Amino acid sequence: MVAQCSAIIIGVGPEQGLGATLAHYFSGKGLHVFIAGRSEDKLHKIADKIRQTGGAATPVVADTTVESDVAQLFKIARLGGFCVDIAVYNVDSNIPMPLLETDAQTFTKLWQQNCLGAFFFGKEAINAMKDRRQGTLFFTGATASLRAKPPFTAFASAKAALRALAQGMAREFSPHGIHVIHTIVDGVIDGERARTQFPDFVKAKGKDGLLQLDAIAETYWAVHKQHPSAWTHELDLRPFKEPF
């Protein structure tokens, strides 16, 4: 009996957010999606909407900085008889703060959420994929993955560490059939967070000035479907208007 394939996505928050959009998109491609985050209410709402459109979704409350939570997430998929075809680490925790005002607790928290959790998640994903010698593991990065700019120095140090982690995993496990990708989201995503927190900025960007959620999901899927003779490890996504 062939196991049904699944996608595991951690960092699923708002309904109009990248995690939820990826879940809807992958579900539409026939994958059972396991969606994880810290808000049980949000997860259940998203899972219900996926089911209403004919998809299959399992919500799992998990804190990515807690190793046992991440292990339990993958265990739930395994006990359900699912193979893991796609795993996405989509946690993007940011606290803007000038360096001299940044305490050790804040610095450590950002590293735990953006990098340590990715280490836990990546290990579980690799273990779930290695026997089949196939699978795609995404790590969602940011502009700060490449360059630090105040007041986001602590955030950038964590995202740069995430990039190094993804690169090391790609070099170690690509020869074993596992496709590891680091995406640099270089711009603002047109989602609930941006429209709620800085609506004037969103308005000023104008048509196609923000990254569209469905467009990002399409790109993730296209990279997942790449032939192994021409794999992408790192790619950056930005609106055509965005300077770089």
Side-chain angles (χ1 to χ4, degrees), residues 93-133:
S93 177
N94 192 358
I95 304 172
M97 190 174 293
L99 183 69
L100 295 182
E101 296 176 17
T102 304
D103 56 25
Q105 182 178 1
T106 300
F107 191 93
T108 302
K109 179 179 180 180
L110 286 170
W111 171 75
Q112 289 174 327
Q113 293 173 335
N114 289 290
C115 186
L116 180 64
F119 167 70
F120 296 151
F121 186 85
K123 283 183 66 178
E124 291 292 339
I126 295 294
N127 276 321
M129 297 172 178
K130 65 181 182 180
D131 289 344
R132 295 173 62 236
R133 297 183 67 85

Side-chain angles (χ1 to χ4, degrees), residues 70-93:
V70 179
Q72 179 66 15
L73 169 62
F74 281 84
K75 182 178 179 181
I76 289 170
R78 185 174 68 252
L79 292 177
F82 294 94
C83 66
V84 180
D85 205 30
I86 302 176
V88 183
Y89 191 81
N90 189 57
V91 176
D92 185 28
S93 177

Side-chain angles (χ1 to χ4, degrees), residues 4 128 142 190 210:
Q4 182 182 349
D190 188 7
L210 303 178

Side-chain angles (χ1 to χ4, degrees), residues 3 9 29 42 45 49 63 92 94 102 104 134 156 163 177 218 226:
I9 307 164
K29 296 297 184 179
K42 289 180 180 178
K45 286 179 182 178
K49 288 198 172 183
D63 183 336
D92 185 28
N94 192 358
T102 304
Q134 67 183 76
R163 183 183 185 225
E218 288 173 6
Q226 285 178 332

Side-chain angles (χ1 to χ4, degrees), residues 38-240:
R38 293 179 296 180
S39 174
E40 185 173 7
D41 290 344
K42 289 180 180 178
L43 292 172
H44 280 284
K45 286 179 182 178
I46 293 165
D48 287 343
K49 288 198 172 183
I50 290 172
R51 296 183 191 117
Q52 288 167 14
T53 58
T58 300
V60 181
V61 177
D63 183 336
T64 190
T65 67
V66 179
E67 188 171 11
S68 59
D69 279 13
V70 179
Q72 179 66 15
L73 169 62
F74 281 84
K75 182 178 179 181
I76 289 170
R78 185 174 68 252
L79 292 177
F82 294 94
C83 66
V84 180
D85 205 30
I86 302 176
V88 183
Y89 191 81
N90 189 57
V91 176
D92 185 28
S93 177
N94 192 358
I95 304 172
M97 190 174 293
L99 183 69
L100 295 182
E101 296 176 17
T102 304
D103 56 25
Q105 182 178 1
T106 300
F107 191 93
T108 302
K109 179 179 180 180
L110 286 170
W111 171 75
Q112 289 174 327
Q113 293 173 335
N114 289 290
C115 186
L116 180 64
F119 167 70
F120 296 151
F121 186 85
K123 283 183 66 178
E124 291 292 339
I126 295 294
N127 276 321
M129 297 172 178
K130 65 181 182 180
D131 289 344
R132 295 173 62 236
R133 297 183 67 85
Q134 67 183 76
T136 306
L137 172 57
F138 287 96
F139 295 99
T140 302
T143 307
S145 304
L146 298 180
R147 56 184 183 271
K149 182 179 179 180
F152 305 105
T153 302
F155 173 68
S157 71
K159 281 298 187 184
L162 171 65
R163 183 183 185 225
L165 175 70
Q167 188 179 98
M169 284 190 168
R171 285 177 163 155
E172 185 171 356
F173 298 106
S174 288
H176 300 281
I178 299 171
H179 191 182
V180 182
I181 302 109
H182 177 248
T183 62
I184 299 165
V185 179
D186 186 20
V188 176
I189 294 175
D190 188 7
E192 180 180 318
R193 185 183 300 175
R195 291 187 171 273
T196 300
Q197 295 181 359
F198 30 91
D200 291 341
F201 176 85
V202 170
K203 185 177 180 180
K205 280 294 183 179
K207 180 177 172 57
D208 295 330
L210 303 178
L211 289 124
Q212 297 301 304
L213 288 163
D214 287 339
I216 300 174
E218 288 173 6
T219 299
Y220 273 51
W221 183 256
V223 173
H224 165 63
K225 298 299 287 184
Q226 285 178 332
H227 190 273
S229 68
W231 270 355
T232 294
H233 165 60
E234 185 168 77
L235 73 158
D236 48 1
L237 303 171
R238 71 177 61 84
F240 74 105

